[in-house]
Amino acid sequence: MKFDDITIDLASQQMLVKAEQEGIETVWDRLKAQQPQCGFGLLGICCRNCNMGPCRIDPFGDGPEKGVCGAAADTIVARNLLRAIAAGAAAHSDHGRDIVNTLYAAAKGDTADYTIKDEAKLKALANEFGIAAAGRGNNEIALDLATAILEEFGSTKGKLQFINRVPEKRRQLWEKLDILPRGIDREIVECLHRTHIGVDNDYINLVLHGLRTSLGDGWGGSHIATEISDVLFGVPKPVRGSSNLGVLKEDHVNIILHGHEPTLSDMIVYAARDEQILAEAAKLGAKGINVCGICCTGNEILMRHGVPVAGNFLQQELAIITGAVEAMIVDVQCIMPALTQVAGCYHTRIISTSPKAKFPGAEHIPFDEHKAMETAKKIVLTAVENFKNRRPEKVNIPDEKMAYMAGFSVEAILEALGGSLNPLLDAVKSGAIKGIAAVVGCNNPKYKHDYGHITFVRELIKNDILVVGTGCAMIACAKQGLLLPEAAREAGDGLRAVCESLGVPPVLHMGSCVDISRILTVAAAMANALGVDISDLPLAGAAPEWMSEKAVSIGAYVVSSGIYTILGTVPPVLGSPNVVQLLTQGAEDVVGAVFAVETDPVAAAGLALQHIQKKRTALGL
Ligand code: SF4
Ligand code: MSK
């Protein structure tokens, strides 16, 4: 099939043929136009942190070995890495802050559209933060909780609250290394300070602060985003739905939600059920309103409502190319600026909603949480009105559609296990499940779309490794049927038996990118239950097709938390052999885990299996 060299996804291949026929440029065309990409950038040895530059280091030693200020490759690579971590941590954490602001507004009664959906979670979190709950109303508790959490961003306590979930041994290690995150914003700001010209020039010191900043994301910003979303929108429970571009419906108004925050998307799901708006759609000849997701907004509503997911990161343009999308509603992160150009060739309206993310050529309908439902209805109506502009001759929806089971929050996993982690620990001890791998992250057009995720995951489950995951990696798995209990047939005998007895898939979808915090919580709980450190557990992490700065922060906090992590695309650090050595070897003696880079997913799975076996042996299993 044409384009099978750039994606394994049949729906995407079909849309790429359509794009070619209709002369539409996609991300793959633009990647081609960028060739050859800058060698200095790929190695991480260019710097433009001051106006004496830009400077670059000659990797072959024939040209300059230092920038104008004297910074050499080690400093420049480490500084660039630190800035990427800062950006990724900022993205996750600012997302978290916005969710807490919504909780704050709801608790104060400033918005009638959001309420506390999960009282048990609210109370559990209040308990964790030392907030009295007995005899108090939900809003009263929520106001105290939101206030306490907002303080985590500029904390004066010297330590983030969720760090208390971490095993004692690891907390002591972070304290000894002086990488315990003190406040979320503080660490991010300090990254920018340290990487300013003439501040921190020691690559080890820079990388260590990168680890601290990333921990402020993993155990701070991302944790907050997940936990407070659960309070406001409900703790996910196992839910079924369908995935891939075939979820679009020819006779419906199709709305795609794309981005990351659940605040608006959750409201859109309800607004699309409004009788009056549905009547408007019917007047225009539509049989209904079909709300679908892409990327992590998709994951948020999929986890809680079973809303269909149209695709992952590299399918955002392809969804528009179907010619069947009335509106793509975007908030923040992973939204290609190219969308407005692609949409210009069809009738699709791109509607931006966040004051932080405007797109030239898009319509901006600012989302105001104080008038959430009103805004959501306005947006849905805009999409409905656009149905009449659809050009039937341009519509081509691929047939590919696959069912999924998602919604595996920590609470849902515990419920499936009968209330405690013990059955899972027993399965790991007996070897029925040899270990657990977290597979997360994006797509990257430099890499065959979905191939890394799917090949890696299939290799692991075949070898009795339970896979948990988030983000676009899990959308890839959904599309290939790996999120169905029936996929246990592809698993090794041990994992298959466990999955069949519990009725769960061998790959557990735990949510959006910020929900890697759920994976950290499970890892910490397992280590606590066994009285060991996280780094002692038979666990591995992988981001087979990563591309975003958020993924850099994620990788850093997963490794700092003690979990061996394999990257499937090469990070821009190779210009400094010292930084590479530190990340891939030296970190073992520092945080008890390292990064590996392996672009071949079969070989990457081999590395994960080897690592898991090593940890099993050390535990005497
Ligand atoms: Fe060049 Fe140093 Fe300025 Fe970077 S900080 S641009 S290496 S002079
Ligand atoms: S959306 S960060 S492409 S996983 Fe979270 Fe997907 Fe990566 Fe964005």
Side-chain angles (χ1 to χ4, degrees), residues 259-260 295-296 313 333-334 441-443 471-473 512-513 547-548 550:
H260 277 76
C295 279
C296 282
F313 176 70
Q333 301 167 21
C334 304
C442 327
N443 304 129
C472 289
S512 64
C513 298
M547 62 84 200
S548 74
K550 288 178 291 173

Side-chain angles (χ1 to χ4, degrees), residues 166-167 170 173-174 179 211 214-215 218-219 520 523-524 527 533-537 539 554-565 591-593:
V166 178
R170 184 129 299 254
L173 175 68
W174 291 344
I179 60 167
L211 301 187
S214 73
L215 288 170
W219 293 94
L520 291 179
D533 192 357
I534 298 175
S535 56
D536 298 322
L537 297 171
L539 305 179
I554 291 166
Y557 72 64
V558 172
V559 166
S560 316
S561 298
I563 302 173
Y564 172 69
T565 297
V591 291

Side-chain angles (χ1 to χ4, degrees), residues 267-567:
M267 222 29 82
I268 296 272
V269 171
Y270 292 112
R273 294 174 190 159
D274 180 86
E275 291 299 332
Q276 266 179 335
I277 300 182
L278 282 167
E280 277 305 312
K283 260 195 246 164
L284 293 170
K287 288 214 173 115
I289 301 171
N290 183 32
V291 177
C292 309
I294 273 192
C295 279
C296 282
T297 290
N299 283 322
E300 294 280 359
I301 48 180
L302 159 168
M303 289 285 284
R304 296 192 173 88
H305 302 284
V307 164
V309 61
N312 48 11
F313 176 70
L314 283 179
Q315 290 177 285
Q316 53 188 288
E317 293 171 293
L318 306 180
I320 297 172
I321 291 169
T322 62
V325 177
E326 273 55 57
M328 188 176 273
I329 300 154
V330 302
D331 52 26
V332 290
Q333 301 167 21
C334 304
I335 302 146
M336 290 189 197
L339 288 183
T340 50
Q341 284 118 57
V342 181
C345 304
Y346 300 89
H347 75 301
T348 308
R349 292 168 87 157
I350 306 291
I351 302 173
S352 60
T353 56
S354 166
K356 295 174 197 168
K358 292 195 176 178
F359 296 77
E363 204 170 330
H364 189 69
I365 304 184
F367 175 63
D368 177 356
E369 72 218 10
H370 300 95
K371 291 183 279 181
M373 186 46 90
E374 192 186 316
T375 319
K377 283 187 183 171
K378 187 174 164 191
I379 291 172
V380 175
L381 204 56
T382 306
V384 167
E385 282 163 359
N386 197 26
F387 186 71
K388 61 179 183 294
N389 298 321
R390 194 191 279 186
R391 287 147 71 188
E393 74 284 3
K394 286 224 165 196
V395 174
N396 179 355
I397 302 173
D399 290 334
E400 269 70 29
K401 184 159 74 166
M402 178 58 79
Y404 66 74
M405 183 196 250
F408 289 95
S409 56
V410 178
E411 292 82 348
I413 292 175
L414 282 172
E415 201 176 314
L417 292 169
S420 106
L421 274 179
N422 288 341
L424 177 64
L425 294 172
D426 291 343
V428 172
K429 283 183 200 159
S430 75
I433 292 177
K434 294 216 171 61
I436 303 174
V439 184
V440 305
C442 327
N443 304 129
N444 184 329
K446 290 179 178 175
Y447 200 96
K448 194 196 278 193
H449 174 225
D450 288 351
Y451 172 72
H453 296 308
I454 299 306
T455 313
F456 184 72
V457 166
R458 285 209 155 108
E459 282 295 313
L460 292 181
I461 61 171
K462 201 166 80 188
N463 285 285
D464 293 315
I465 306 296
L466 173 69
V467 172
V468 294
T470 63
C472 289
M474 286 302 104
I475 299 176
C477 289
K479 291 185 291 171
Q480 297 294 326
L482 290 168
L483 302 189
L484 290 169
E486 298 85 302
R489 285 197 286 262
E490 290 192 41
D493 291 344
L495 176 60
R496 178 179 179 164
V498 174
C499 292
E500 284 177 353
S501 73
L502 298 172
V504 300
V507 183
L508 303 180
H509 188 347
M510 296 186 75
S512 64
C513 298
V514 291
D515 293 334
I516 294 171
S517 63
R518 299 191 201 273
I519 301 176
L520 291 179
T521 299
V522 173
M526 284 176 72
N528 283 331
L530 293 173
V532 298
D533 192 357
I534 298 175
S535 56
D536 298 322
L537 297 171
L539 305 179
E545 303 177 29
W546 74 276
M547 62 84 200
S548 74
E549 289 169 314
K550 288 178 291 173
V552 182
S553 177
I554 291 166
Y557 72 64
V558 172
V559 166
S560 316
S561 298
I563 302 173
Y564 172 69
T565 297
I566 307 163
L567 305 176

